[in-house]
Amino acid sequence: MVQVFRKDHGFQVDHIGLAVPDTRQGVEWMAAETDARVHLKEALPSNWFWSGVLPIGSQSFLEVIGPNPNWSKFHPLRAFLSELTGPTLMFWYVSVDSLDAFTALAKSFNLPMRKDEDANLDNTNPGRSAYRRGHLGPGFITERPNVIEWVRHVQLECDQAPQCRLTGFELAHPDA
């Protein structure tokens, strides 16, 4: 049996990615909309994206993600972010205790499941979180559940008391 982590607010959502065309402006917009502070660190030169984090429950967070202004190479998702006209759902993750067990369960129901081979499993830096992840079903990442198994979850500055709480999460599509 696969255990899906139940959060203290009753939801199984691990994190939600809100795509914005400009990270700093997206963080300011979120603060204006919620009166909550999004934790934004400096953009890493090795990442095509730049993101800030807002806790929304026990070990659940909203990620405000935009293009890294210091990235000079092409990346298709960075180009996608740059073309947005406002905040847009980019992805959502459900946390599981075993990605392998979840994958086996999905296959038993004939559901397509793809595991990412490039997930962050760097065990050389104990100060960084490590995870394995995958995607359930066809389509773009906004349209399908993304699944994450935390191998090592390093507590972030923002992991203290959430300033906002996730009270609902609904998705609808005309071709459900």
Side-chain angles (χ1 to χ4, degrees), residues 21-168:
D22 179 285
T23 307
R24 193 170 305 280
Q25 289 177 0
V27 165
E28 291 168 1
W29 172 83
M30 183 58 68
E33 290 293 313
T34 64
D35 286 329
R37 181 176 162 258
V38 175
H39 299 268
L40 181 64
K41 292 192 175 187
E42 289 304 312
L44 297 174
S46 60
N47 287 347
W48 59 267
F49 65 91
W50 183 25
S51 66
V53 177
L54 174 65
I56 55 175
S58 174
Q59 298 178 356
S60 295
F61 60 94
L62 176 75
E63 183 175 8
V64 178
I65 183 169
N68 182 346
N70 302 321
W71 180 267
S72 59
K73 301 176 206 167
F74 175 78
H75 191 284
L77 289 178
R78 184 184 184 284
F80 165 78
L81 294 174
S82 298
E83 297 297 319
L84 294 174
T85 58
T88 303
L89 176 67
M90 185 170 178
F91 55 76
W92 52 287
Y93 278 87
V94 174
S95 199
V96 297
D97 65 344
S98 169
L99 186 60
D100 293 332
F102 187 89
T103 300
L105 180 64
K107 287 183 180 180
S108 76
F109 285 98
N110 293 321
L111 297 171
M113 177 73 183
R114 183 178 61 99
K115 291 194 271 186
D116 282 350
E117 299 305 322
D118 66 345
N120 178 11
L121 281 174
D122 179 12
N123 286 319
T124 62
N125 186 349
R128 289 191 63 164
S129 293
Y131 54 84
R132 299 171 64 222
R133 65 183 180 194
H135 312 282
L136 186 62
F140 191 60
I141 56 178
T142 58
E143 302 166 343
R144 61 183 180 206
N146 294 277
V147 181
I148 191 164
E149 172 193 347
W150 291 101
V151 177
R152 180 180 57 249
H153 185 69
V154 175
Q155 185 169 348
L156 305 171
E157 292 173 11
C158 64
D159 281 345
Q160 284 94 36
Q163 302 169 51
C164 297
R165 291 251 179 234
L166 178 66
T167 58

